[in-house]
């Protein structure tokens, strides 16, 4: 039996292959699958790192201009009690730059902001500043220049209710 020049078996095989390809392309992708970490990444307005949970947590956040930045917060290993210690905060503006800093927390208070770092993929970074504004907040500010356009970018960390809240702008 033939269907428009094609044998029934060939038509059935083609149908099965299309179904398999469709199912494979609809698969969800998380940070765990691309090797970044063992945590699933969610898109939101702010990253909320649970200080009591600790470990490494990854987030996708969107600033007020609709631009996405990946935020990775890592607990730096030490012997301190839960929520006390050093945390590495990394912001990745995909395809353009990676920048971050370290903060020290003691007694649910930000005691020190230090160790700013960056890597540029496209464009350039200048005027990078890290400021500890209070016992609860620190901000990394940088000027990012690409194709003649300069944008001031910020990665702000704030301690709020046993969580470390990160926002970008």
């Amino acid at each position: 039996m033939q269907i428009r020049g094609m044998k029934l078996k060939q038509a059935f095989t083609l149908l099965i292959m299309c179904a398999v390809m469709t199912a494979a392309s609809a698969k969800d992708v998380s940070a765990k699958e691309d090797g970044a970490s063992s945590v699933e990444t969610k898109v939101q307005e702010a990253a909320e790192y649970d200080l009591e949970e600790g470990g490494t947590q990854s987030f996708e956040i969107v600033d007020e201009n609709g631009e996405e930045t990946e935020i990775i917060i890592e607990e730096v290993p030490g012997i301190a009690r839960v929520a006390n210690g050093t945390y590495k905060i990394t912001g990745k503006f995909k395809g353009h730059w990676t920048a971050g800093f370290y903060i020290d927390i003691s007694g649910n208070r930000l005691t020190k902001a230090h160790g700013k770092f960056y890597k540029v993929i496209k464009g350039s970074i200048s005027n990078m500043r890290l400021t500890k504004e209070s016992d609860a907040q620190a901000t990394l500010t940088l000027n990012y220049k690409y194709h003649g356009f300069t944008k001031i970018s910020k990665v702000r960390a704030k301690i709020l209710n046993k969580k470390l809240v990160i926002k970008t702008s």
Side-chain angles (χ1 to χ4, degrees), residues 35-126:
S37 71
S38 62
V39 236
E40 188 171 324
T41 303
K42 301 174 187 173
V43 177
Q44 52 202 32
E45 289 182 12
E48 290 190 10
Y49 177 91
D50 188 336
L51 290 166
E52 292 180 334
E53 182 181 326
T56 298
Q57 298 174 32
S58 178
F59 308 87
E60 286 284 335
I61 63 175
V62 179
D63 68 14
E64 65 268 5
N65 299 320
E67 295 178 330
E68 290 184 20
T69 303
E70 180 182 9
I71 298 293
I72 302 167
I73 305 166
E74 302 170 68
E75 184 176 19
V76 177
I79 56 173
R81 290 187 349 239
V82 173
N84 289 334
T86 301
Y87 297 84
K88 179 181 178 184
I89 300 163
T90 305
K92 294 182 179 182
F93 184 47
K94 293 180 181 178
H96 296 273
W97 55 260
T98 297
F101 57 100
Y102 293 84
I103 60 170
D104 295 344
I105 296 176
S106 180
N108 209 34
R109 300 177 97 176
L110 195 150
T111 58
K112 185 177 180 183
H114 58 95
K116 62 186 178 187
F117 60 90
Y118 73 92
K119 177 183 176 185
V120 179
I121 298 165
K122 294 178 188 170
S124 63
I125 288 179
S126 63

Side-chain angles (χ1 to χ4, degrees), residues 105-166:
I105 296 176
S106 180
N108 209 34
R109 300 177 97 176
L110 195 150
T111 58
K112 185 177 180 183
H114 58 95
K116 62 186 178 187
F117 60 90
Y118 73 92
K119 177 183 176 185
V120 179
I121 298 165
K122 294 178 188 170
S124 63
I125 288 179
S126 63
N127 265 1
M128 187 175 208
R129 299 175 304 285
L130 177 58
T131 309
K132 178 184 174 269
E133 293 139 346
S134 69
D135 288 345
Q137 183 171 292
T139 303
L140 178 70
T141 306
L142 58 93
N143 292 348
Y144 174 64
K145 187 174 184 178
Y146 183 65
H147 286 301
F149 177 74
T150 301
K151 177 185 180 210
I152 298 173
S153 295
K154 295 181 180 185
V155 178
R156 177 169 286 136
K158 185 174 187 174
I159 298 174
L160 188 63
N161 299 326
K162 296 184 183 179
K163 293 191 185 284
L164 187 55
V165 179
I166 311 297

Side-chain angles (χ1 to χ4, degrees), residues 1-21:
M1 181 171 156
Q2 290 190 351
I3 300 176
R4 293 189 186 192
M6 201 185 273
K7 293 182 180 177
L8 183 60
K9 187 175 180 181
Q10 289 174 329
F12 184 71
T13 302
L14 183 61
L15 181 64
I16 295 291
M17 287 177 57
C18 288
V20 168
M21 291 174 61

